[in-house]
Amino acid sequence: MALRPLHDRVIVKRLENETTTASGIVIPDNATEKPDQGEILAVGPGKKNDKGEVVALGVQVGDRVLFGKYSGQAVKIDGQELLVLKEDDLFAVVEK
């Protein structure tokens, strides 16, 4: 990937939601909501505090995270739709 996020930003790839219900009903693409989970592909160096020191982010590449459905800025790189989010837009890390 040719993206390197700046400051406290992260690059996230949305993880697709399940398109079939437990009873076997297939949900069409246009009826599904935007996924609110994703995998972090790249992490910026961090944000500077009041003293000018860089504070590292609390997430790392490969983490699975939760974020708002309409958070961040969508970009298309190499045919892949990605999100650029600030660390503040992330709600939680999904533990394995």
Side-chain angles (χ1 to χ4, degrees):
M1 178 176 38
L3 284 179
R4 182 176 51 94
L6 302 175
H7 309 294
D8 63 336
R9 290 181 173 80
V10 295
I11 306 296
V12 175
K13 178 182 177 185
R14 285 187 193 265
L15 297 176
E16 295 302 318
N17 287 338
E18 188 70 32
T19 57
T20 306
T21 64
S23 60
I25 298 172
V26 176
I27 302 170
D29 288 339
N30 59 356
T32 59
E33 293 184 359
K34 288 184 177 183
D36 56 358
Q37 289 188 32
E39 180 182 353
I40 295 182
L41 300 179
V43 177
K47 190 174 185 178
K48 290 186 179 181
N49 62 14
D50 295 336
K51 297 178 183 177
E53 302 164 335
V54 176
V55 178
L57 276 65
V59 293
Q60 56 190 343
V61 173
D63 281 351
R64 190 173 185 168
V65 293
L66 296 176
F67 51 88
K69 292 188 187 316
Y70 303 102
S71 297
Q73 177 66 45
V75 295
K76 200 165 198 173
I77 303 294
D78 298 332
Q80 203 175 29
E81 190 164 322
L82 305 172
L83 285 174
V84 179
L85 298 160
K86 289 189 123 193
E87 185 182 30
D88 293 341
D89 293 336
L90 302 176
F91 298 148
V93 175
V94 178
E95 298 291 335
K96 297 176 185 174

